[in-house]
Amino acid sequence: DIVVTQSPDSLAVSLGERATINCKSSQSVLYSFKNKNYLAWYQQKQGQPPKLLISWASTRESGVPDRFSGSGSGSDFTLTISSLQAEDVAVYYCQQYYNTPPTFGGGTKVEIK
Amino acid sequence: EVQLVESGEDLVQPGGSLRLSCAASGFTFTNYAMSWVRQAPGRGLEWVSSIDGSGSSTYYVDSVKGRFTISRDNSKSTLYLQMDSLRAEDSAIYYCAKIDSGSFLAAFHIWGQGTMVTVSS
């Protein structure tokens, strides 16, 4: 199974400042033939189901604010919130879907400083 | 609007059985693979099982193999999870999720609100 590791476990960022979350997979999730990274980012607010923010490592879902961006390739990835808003307080998960079983990182809790 | 609505929430004794349902609407159900993902209280997300659009291919996390069965009724646009020989560690919110593809290798695009399963004596 591919192990997905996120860091940090939590971070506190001031409103309007940048938040950066890292995600590392135990093997590459880049499918070279298609030149696609099989990695997604989800946001889960308290008491709500997860919401898909980004797929294919960097493709934002429709309706997701452009302050959210995904980057990286192979086995190292980053989710960046360029200017943190109060409504961004949540736990963020990365997930690989390169193979079965699909696996999630442990989550990163983002709070306001 | 794409919508997934789970049902089947219950408190069951260890060793008991439970069937979860997920009613889908707003998309062509048979065109998409579907999954169950669970989240124990205060914990992270764990994929449980997936099924392809036709229902002919299924996958399970090792911890539920032989105990859980995923199935779907495309005529009713409904996904199921039959859970047998339940253990305390199966206690969690169970989410139904639409995979963004007919195959398994895609993100979990849409999630239901979840249904709580509690296994306790």
Side-chain angles (χ1 to χ4, degrees), chain B residues 98-119:
Chain B
K98 169 183 172 284
I99 296 176
D100 197 17
S101 169
S103 79
F104 299 116
L105 302 183
F108 300 120
H109 186 221
I110 301 292
W111 298 64
Q113 287 298 310
T115 192
M116 185 69 205
V117 174
T118 304
V119 183

Side-chain angles (χ1 to χ4, degrees), chain A residues 38 42 44 48-50 52 56 61 93 95 97-98 100-102 104, chain B residues 37 39 43-47 59 95 105-109 111-113:
Chain A
Y38 283 52
Y42 302 87
Q44 186 177 31
Q48 295 184 21
L52 178 64
W56 309 114
E61 289 298 299
Y93 295 93
Q95 176 237 337
Y97 47 93
Y98 181 83
T100 301
F104 293 89
Chain B
V37 178
Q39 186 171 37
R43 304 296 296 272
L45 301 169
E46 179 185 39
W47 169 79
Y59 288 95
Y95 295 104
L105 302 183
F108 300 120
H109 186 221
W111 298 64
Q113 287 298 310

Side-chain angles (χ1 to χ4, degrees), chain B:
Chain B
E1 179 194 4
V2 175
Q3 196 169 12
L4 300 172
V5 179
E6 301 96 336
S7 59
E9 177 169 320
D10 207 351
L11 166 63
V12 296
Q13 293 191 339
S17 297
L18 189 63
R19 188 176 85 156
L20 305 182
S21 300
C22 171
S25 59
F27 64 100
T28 305
F29 187 65
T30 191
N31 286 353
Y32 293 91
M34 298 290 294
S35 287
W36 290 97
V37 178
R38 68 185 178 184
Q39 186 171 37
R43 304 296 296 272
L45 301 169
E46 179 185 39
W47 169 79
V48 174
S49 181
S50 295
I51 186 168
D52 71 352
S54 68
S56 59
S57 292
T58 58
Y59 288 95
Y60 300 91
V61 68
D62 284 348
S63 61
V64 309
K65 281 180 185 174
R67 301 189 299 121
F68 289 11
T69 303
I70 190 171
S71 63
R72 62 193 295 160
D73 185 337
N74 287 343
S75 69
K76 295 181 179 179
S77 295
T78 301
L79 176 72
Y80 302 101
L81 185 68
Q82 177 66 41
M83 310 164 69
D84 299 320
S85 302
L86 281 161
R87 305 167 180 168
E89 54 264 35
D90 295 319
S91 296
I93 297 172
Y94 283 73
Y95 295 104
C96 164
K98 169 183 172 284
I99 296 176
D100 197 17
S101 169
S103 79
F104 299 116
L105 302 183
F108 300 120
H109 186 221
I110 301 292
W111 298 64
Q113 287 298 310
T115 192
M116 185 69 205
V117 174
T118 304
V119 183
S120 175
S121 55

Side-chain angles (χ1 to χ4, degrees), chain A residues 6-44:
Chain A
Q6 284 182 238
S7 63
D9 293 335
S10 65
L11 75 160
V13 176
S14 300
L15 288 172
E17 296 301 305
R18 179 184 301 261
T20 301
I21 300 169
N22 300 302
C23 176
K24 191 176 187 69
S25 56
S26 60
Q27 68 181 73
S28 175
V29 297
L30 171 62
Y31 188 7
S32 302
F33 179 72
K34 294 189 175 183
N35 194 30
K36 283 190 169 185
N37 288 283
Y38 283 52
L39 187 112
W41 288 97
Y42 302 87
Q43 175 193 63
Q44 186 177 31

Side-chain angles (χ1 to χ4, degrees), chain A residues 33-95:
Chain A
F33 179 72
K34 294 189 175 183
N35 194 30
K36 283 190 169 185
N37 288 283
Y38 283 52
L39 187 112
W41 288 97
Y42 302 87
Q43 175 193 63
Q44 186 177 31
K45 296 182 179 180
Q46 183 67 32
Q48 295 184 21
K51 173 188 173 183
L52 178 64
L53 294 178
I54 289 171
S55 58
W56 309 114
S58 60
T59 302
R60 228 177 1 255
E61 289 298 299
S62 174
V64 173
D66 61 7
R67 62 180 180 273
F68 291 92
S69 63
S71 62
S73 185
S75 60
D76 287 285
F77 301 91
T78 300
L79 175 70
T80 300
I81 310 173
S82 60
S83 175
L84 191 74
Q85 304 300 303
E87 60 265 33
D88 301 334
V89 168
V91 178
Y92 293 84
Y93 295 93
C94 59
Q95 176 237 337

